[in-house]
Amino acid sequence: MAFDEAGEAAERPYELVVFGASGFTGQFVVEEVARAAACGELRGRWAVAGRSREKLRATLERAAERFGKAAEAAVLLGDVGDAGSLAAVARQTRLVLNCVGPYRFFGEPVVEACIENGASCIDISGEPQFLEGMYLKYNEKAAEKGVYIIGSCGFDSIPADMGVLYTRDKLKGTLTAVESFLTVKSGPEGACIHDGTWKSAIYGLADQDNLRKLRKKIGYVPVPVVGAKLKRRGLVFYNQEFKEYSIPFMGSDVSVVKRSQRYLHTELKETPVQYGAYVNIGGLGSVIKLMFAGILFLLLVKFSFGRKLLTKYPEFFSAGRFTKKGPTQKQMDGTSFTMTFFGEGYSEGQDPQSGKPNVKICTEVKGPEPGYVATPIAMVQAAISLLEDTACLPKKGGVYSPGAAFSKTKLIDRLNKRGVEFSVISKPEV
């Protein structure tokens, strides 16, 4: 029998519940949970939750075709607009895997229900405003209840956040700065992304000012810069290492890594690492296309009719990159990502506060298609780490980034076994 914080026997029939299980990403998360159950990584019973019993059953049937009995999960009904139904779901489980986005519209009721009813919650949000808003509003409450609310546990931002920690742990000495470069390769079928991500980007960019206000409210203590200051690169630059053009990565990685580094510095007295994130986009042709698309996007995003247009015609405005249908199985099979980390720091015995960095290291995280293959793997392995590595989690509950929550757990080992692989490319050289 499991005991909760108060020491009473916790009658929770399910280890985890996948909420939004019949949605585009949710269905892949369900398959990944079924796989984890089939090979004994997930012990105990699990459930799926959402608005439509029929759709949830259909999702489970698809998973059962691949994983047999492991996909036998309970079906619970829960709706973001119905607080009572969310409370009923949260009371029955130790952990909710929330797949219902955009999170800025639909995320908070789930977080609130989980905290009120003593369940932890993991999501795959790449929306800094939602993630940091939840921190401001619920961090203390979650700590009181002893539950963990951990955002951005998908491709945004586990590879980046855990990749920085991996790089730090592989450097003998003190790591002070890291830059990451993302390359996404697709096969002959090309690659595309479901338009849910597109919507999150539209509303995120439209709301930049409120994110600044939110950060003022939180009143973050500045993270000290240790070692040489990391220079910010331009909007587009030619990258000698990869022989192609790169641009700053627009996702949540930088903000998530910064939150982890702030936590590890203030709570665990670890040396904070500076971080910059970039994405490789190819040759000059790609740069020109992207610049036109980017300017149009930034103009339209400012006005409500522009946002309506962007939301209604994702394929047209993203040159086919985002579609309402999402990628085909063939497209997903042919797509993979590599995130390469270039770190610098100071060798053992060197004072990072003086002189130039004198060690370098290169590491990488490689994995399958980011959105719907790597994301469910990251989310489910984070869930298993939360359920199994309890002694290695932060001592008290709260709202955490992945690096803050999982830095001492076996998450990286678990990901390596599942094909999201962390490795050292070049040993630290002095």
Side-chain angles (χ1 to χ4, degrees), residues 186-187 189-192 320 326-336 369:
S186 54
E189 301 275 325
C192 78
T328 62
Q329 190 58 50
K330 260 194 172 156
Q331 283 179 316
M332 290 192 291
D333 292 343
T335 306
S336 63
E369 189 280 332

Side-chain angles (χ1 to χ4, degrees), residues 162 381 385 388-389 392 406-417:
M162 300 309 289
Q381 294 307 318
S385 293
E388 297 286 331
D389 306 345
C392 311
F406 297 122
S407 74
K408 305 284 183 268
T409 67
K410 298 187 187 118
L411 178 57
I412 289 176
D413 297 342
R414 295 178 191 281
L415 290 167
N416 272 326
K417 287 191 187 115

Side-chain angles (χ1 to χ4, degrees), residues 356-405:
K356 285 199 167 105
N358 67 337
V359 268
K360 283 190 159 128
I361 184 172
C362 176
T363 63
E364 73 177 17
V365 181
K366 277 164 85 151
E369 189 280 332
Y372 313 104
V373 187
T375 286
I377 289 171
M379 187 184 215
V380 173
Q381 294 307 318
I384 291 167
S385 293
L386 189 73
L387 294 167
E388 297 286 331
D389 306 345
T390 41
C392 311
L393 295 170
K395 290 288 173 278
K396 57 181 196 200
V399 178
Y400 289 102
S401 56

Side-chain angles (χ1 to χ4, degrees), residues 14-18 90 93-97 114 119-122 148 382-384 386-387:
Y14 309 112
E15 287 289 289
L16 64 83
V17 172
V18 181
T93 185
R94 288 176 62 193
L95 174 62
V96 170
L97 271 56
C114 285
S120 290
C121 180
I122 278 180
Y148 297 91
I384 291 167
L386 189 73
L387 294 167

